[in-house]
Each structure stands twice: as structure tokens, then as C-alpha cells.
């Protein structure tokens, strides 16, 4: 069986706990992956390394694949987010986040099926901030044609390939006429020139969010710039059971880094309360990516078996506390392993 070298960044906070649980499930399922562990963020600083060591970035570049736990970013001070840095350095320009209702997870809606496409390299997260004079700062929002066109292209291609029904862009081009205006123009250009068969609509983001919480079934694929994508991902997670159940992929042309939407959750770190499912689902996305990009049938088979097992666990009420159950990080992993076909 072909195996695939994969970088594992456990992260910090709940990261090491959920990463260990996910690794246990992957090992039990005989996933065709060989993990190489690397550090980033607080874990790297604690080991006396740079916050984002070159060795970590180079290893991902070499093997093209990583599974990543969350990394803390200090609020209002300190180092630049390693998550943002990693996406920029590896040019992981497309964040893809499927948000789906799960059998056994009771929420207001039982038929949510969304995919969020977030531009991952620029916007307000370009990190261009300046103190102009004491008491006055600016944060620059960067929008380029290059980044806007390629995220639009990737989003429409995904929508078409998966046979999904439509793309909705969330924007604020009524106020940010230049930056969001450019984003919107680029998406329209790609739609008209390359994907005229895909249904396409636009929503001003504030009204779009209202519609999203009122009836998420009216949306399918949501496309937006960096900051909006960050916020709307968490909002959408709230529609299907919270941050414990939403996975994600950060995709470039040569590299792919899979990570949950959630952060390091310092409020529950070290207590084994964290739900490892979002990272496990991210690992399933990684396995499916291997199937699609490298033709690895064993990856697809492992992904299907793990999906079957966690769906079964949820259906049987074997859940962590965030979903109303009484399992902890490790016992949930055991419950999934017990149900592997
Ligand atoms: P968070 O996502 O870490 O936590 C928000 C809330 O959701 C908390 O109450 C937490 O306990 C809960 N939660 C999150 N993941 C959970 C899980 N797997 N199981 C059960 N409950 C879970 O967001 P917060 O508190 O805003 O950020 C904490 C830190 O994480 C910050 O330093 C932030 O910058 C960083 N962060 C890192 C990300 C990454 O590495 N990709 C993404 C988002 C935030």
C-alpha cells in the first residue's frame, strides 16, 4: 500500500489533545499516512524555536500535506498569527469549510449543507497596520485581482465538479467600493467567462448573515474575502452544533493544510473536554484530497470507514459535552474506533 508523508502540527491549547485522539483513530483505521511531527506557534516558542520555524514550513512544502491543530494568537499584542503566516508563506489561498447537519446532533435546522470558500491570503488579514499619530491607527485592507480571480476560479470549479447548485458571494461593496468592489468584479468576470452554467448571486454581508441564520437551506456554496470568511465560518458552525463539528482545508496549488475551524480553546484546554471530531473530519478531508489529487484508493476507503464510524457514534448518542454527551476527548475517539467497519 502506498503511504503518504504528512506533517502533523499538534498546535497548543486543546491542539495536542485533539491531535492525539485523531491520530489514534487514524492508526486504528490503518490510514495510509506517515506522520512527521513539527511545531508552530506557542509550542515552537516554548521549545526555543521561532514562532513559525522554517523547518515546519519547509517540511510542508516538501511533502505537500499537513494536518494541523489550532495555534493561539495573542490578543491586541505579541506575535503575528502563525495561522495567517502559514497560509501566506505557503500561498494556501483557498480555505474550504463544509458545514453540514449531522445525524444525532440536534440543532434548529436538520438539513444544513453549506460550503464556505474563504480567500485566505489578503484582505484585512494582510497585517498592514500602522500607528499614524498617537491615538490614530490604520489597518489596511488589501484586495488584488490575482487573489480574487484565483479564489473565484477555484470556488466555481469546485461547485461545478461537485454538482452543487449555486455560488453566493457575501460582500460589502456598497461601503468598501474599491476593495470589495474589485473582489465582486473579479468573481463576476470568472463566472461570465468560465462558469456561466453555475447559478451565481450576491448578497450584502449583513443581510446575508440574517438570511443565513433564518434559513441556511437557501444557500449552497458561499464565497467571500478573508475576514468575512473567518466570521461567517463560526456563525455557520453555530447552525450545525458548534465549533466541535466543522472541519476545514487550506489549499494552494502545491500544498494542502487541513485544520478544524476552531481555535485553541484555552477555556477547556488540558481538561480532555474538547471534541476531536472537527479535526477528525479535517483528517477525512485530507484523505479524500489524497484520493482526488494522487489517486489513492486506500485513502478514500479509510475516509469512508472513519466517516461511517463517527456518524454511527453520533447516531448512538456517543458524544462529547459540547454536543450534550458525557464522553471526553479520548473516550470519544475510542467510541469511533469501536465502530470502525
Ligand atoms: P475557539 O474556537 O478556540 O473557542 C471558542 C469557543 O468554542 C470556546 O468556548 C471553546 O471552548 C469552544 N470550542 C472550540 N473548539 C472546541 C472543541 N473542539 N470542542 C469543544 N469546544 C470547543 O476561539 P477563541 O476562544 O476565540 O480563540 C482561542 C485562540 O485560538 C485565540 O488565540 C485564537 O487566535 C486562536 N485561533 C486559532 C485558530 C487556528 O489555529 N486555526 C482558529 C481560531 C482561533
Amino acid at each position: 500500500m502506498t503511504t503518504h508523508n504528512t506533517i502533523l502540527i499538534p498546535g497548543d491549547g486543546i491542539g495536542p489533545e485533539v491531535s492525539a485522539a485523531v491520530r489514534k483513530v487514524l492508526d486504528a483505521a490503518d490510514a495510509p499516512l506517515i506522520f512527521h511531527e513539527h511545531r508552530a506557534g506557542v509550542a515552537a516558542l516554548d521549545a526555543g524555536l521561532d514562532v513559525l520555524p522554517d523547518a515546519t514550513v519547509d517540511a510542508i512544502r516538501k511533502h505537500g500535506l499537513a494536518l494541523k491543530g489550532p495555534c493561539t494568537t495573542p490578543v491586541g499584542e505579541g506575535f503575528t498569527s502563525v495561522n495567517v503566516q502559514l497560509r501566506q508563506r505557503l500561498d494556501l489561498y483557498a480555505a474550504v469549510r463544509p458545514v453540514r447537519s449531522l445525524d444525532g446532533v440536534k440543532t434548529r435546522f436538520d438539513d444544513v449543507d453549506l460550503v464556505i470558500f474563504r480567500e485566505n491570503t489578503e484582505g484585512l488579514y494582510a497585517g498592514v497596520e500602522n500607528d499614524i499619530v498617537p491615538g490614530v491607527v490604520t489597518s489596511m485592507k488589501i484586495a488584488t485581482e490575482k487573489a480574487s480571480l484565483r479564489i473565484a476560479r477555484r470556488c466555481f470549479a469546485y461547485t461545478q465538479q461537485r454538482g452543487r447548485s449555486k455560488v453566493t458571494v457575501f460582500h460589502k461593496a456598497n461601503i468598501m467600493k474599491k476593495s470589495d468592489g474589485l473582489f465582486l468584479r473579479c468573481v463576476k468576470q470568472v463566472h461570465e467567462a468560465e462558469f456561466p452554467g453555475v447559478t451565481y448571486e450576491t448578497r450584502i454581508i449583513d443581510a446575508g448573515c440574517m438570511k443565513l441564520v433564518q434559513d441556511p437551506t437557501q444557500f449552497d456554496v458561499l464565497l467571500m474575502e478573508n475576514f468575512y470568511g473567518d466570521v461567517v465560518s463560526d456563525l455557520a458552525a453555530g447552525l450545525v452544533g458548534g465549533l466541535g463539528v466543522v472541519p476545514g482545508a487550506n489549499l494552494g496549488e502545491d500544498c494542502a493544510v487541513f485544520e478544524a475551524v476552531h481555535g485553541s480553546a484555552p477555556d477547556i484546554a488540558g481538561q480532555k473536554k474538547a471534541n476531536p471530531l472537527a479535526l477528525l473530519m479535517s483528517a477525512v478531508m485530507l484523505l479524500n484530497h489524497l484520493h482526488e489529487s494522487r489517486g489513492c484508493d486506500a485513502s478514500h476507503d479509510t475516509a469512508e470507514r472513519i466517516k461511517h464510524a463517527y456518524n454511527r457514534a453520533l447516531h448512538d448518542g456517543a458524544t462529547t459535552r459540547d454536543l450534550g454527551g458525557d464522553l471526553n476527548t479520548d473516550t470519544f475517539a475510542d467510541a469511533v474506533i469501536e465502530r470502525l467497519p
Side-chain angles (χ1 to χ4, degrees):
M1 180 170 69
T2 310
T3 50
H4 303 270
N5 290 306
T6 307
I7 307 310
L8 177 68
I9 301 174
D12 56 76
I14 60 170
E17 300 161 53
V18 291
S19 302
V22 168
R23 204 167 164 174
K24 199 168 153 192
V25 175
L26 291 168
D27 286 346
D30 285 326
L33 305 173
I34 298 173
F35 282 111
H36 306 276
E37 211 167 299
H38 280 264
R39 291 193 172 93
V42 173
L45 291 178
D46 288 348
L49 303 169
D50 290 341
V51 69
L52 182 54
D54 287 342
T56 302
V57 179
D58 291 345
I60 301 174
R61 218 173 253 135
K62 179 170 174 203
H63 297 300
L65 200 63
L67 183 64
K68 176 185 165 296
C71 294
T72 299
T73 309
V75 175
E77 57 179 15
F79 59 82
T80 305
S81 163
V82 290
N83 309 309
V84 171
Q85 282 188 57
L86 192 66
R87 293 164 195 164
Q88 289 173 344
R89 284 179 66 180
L90 293 170
D91 208 15
L92 303 168
Y93 62 88
V96 183
R97 296 161 162 194
V99 181
R100 294 198 183 101
S101 300
L102 292 159
D103 186 21
V105 180
K106 189 82 203 98
T107 59
R108 270 182 68 203
F109 307 97
D110 54 17
D111 46 3
V112 179
D113 181 8
L114 303 165
V115 180
I116 295 170
F117 261 76
R118 164 187 176 188
E119 200 293 318
N120 227 6
T121 60
E122 55 182 32
L124 279 169
Y125 290 13
V128 187
E129 295 198 302
N130 289 299
D131 289 292
I132 302 301
V133 291
V136 181
V137 298
T138 58
S139 296
M140 198 104 68
K141 176 163 171 164
I142 312 286
T144 65
E145 263 180 22
K146 180 184 169 204
S148 306
L149 290 170
R150 68 182 176 175
I151 186 70
R153 210 163 268 135
R154 191 132 190 179
C155 175
F156 280 116
Y158 173 98
T159 305
Q160 196 171 57
Q161 278 156 15
R162 309 271 165 142
R164 300 195 69 110
S165 65
K166 78 174 167 188
V167 172
T168 307
V169 175
F170 278 10
H171 69 89
K172 195 74 188 175
N174 50 331
I175 305 297
M176 279 162 278
K177 296 175 195 293
K178 294 240 179 246
S179 53
D180 281 18
L182 181 140
F183 188 80
L184 213 47
R185 266 199 316 283
C186 288
V187 179
K188 186 163 178 267
Q189 180 187 324
V190 170
H191 175 247
E192 288 177 358
E194 299 171 43
F195 300 94
V198 177
T199 305
Y200 164 66
E201 62 182 18
T202 63
R203 290 275 177 275
I204 292 179
I205 186 163
D206 34 358
C209 285
M210 185 274 293
K211 286 176 183 292
L212 190 58
V213 295
Q214 231 173 18
D215 177 14
T217 64
Q218 65 192 291
F219 296 109
D220 185 5
V221 177
L222 296 171
L223 169 61
M224 59 204 88
E225 61 87 83
N226 208 340
F227 174 52
Y228 306 152
D230 192 2
V231 176
V232 172
S233 296
D234 280 36
L235 184 158
L239 299 169
V240 295
L243 287 163
V245 297
V246 179
N250 300 295
L251 307 175
E253 294 303 339
D254 306 314
C255 294
V257 176
F258 296 81
E259 63 177 338
V261 168
H262 65 70
S264 57
D267 53 335
I268 55 168
Q271 302 167 45
K272 299 274 179 181
K273 288 180 181 167
N275 189 349
L277 183 52
L279 189 63
L280 183 61
M281 293 165 111
S282 307
V284 166
M285 288 179 78
L286 181 152
L287 290 164
N288 282 326
H289 170 80
L290 278 175
H291 175 59
E292 284 164 20
S293 60
R294 301 187 193 171
C296 179
D297 290 337
S299 293
H300 180 64
D301 176 61
T302 314
E304 288 299 304
R305 287 168 50 235
I306 294 174
K307 253 164 77 178
H308 172 90
Y310 70 64
N311 280 328
R312 202 68 244 165
L314 297 177
H315 177 82
D316 294 345
T319 56
T320 44
R321 289 176 194 211
D322 52 314
L323 301 181
D326 57 5
L327 299 185
N328 68 30
T329 311
D330 296 335
T331 51
F332 177 74
D334 293 338
V336 174
I337 290 168
E338 276 164 26
R339 290 165 175 83
L340 279 170

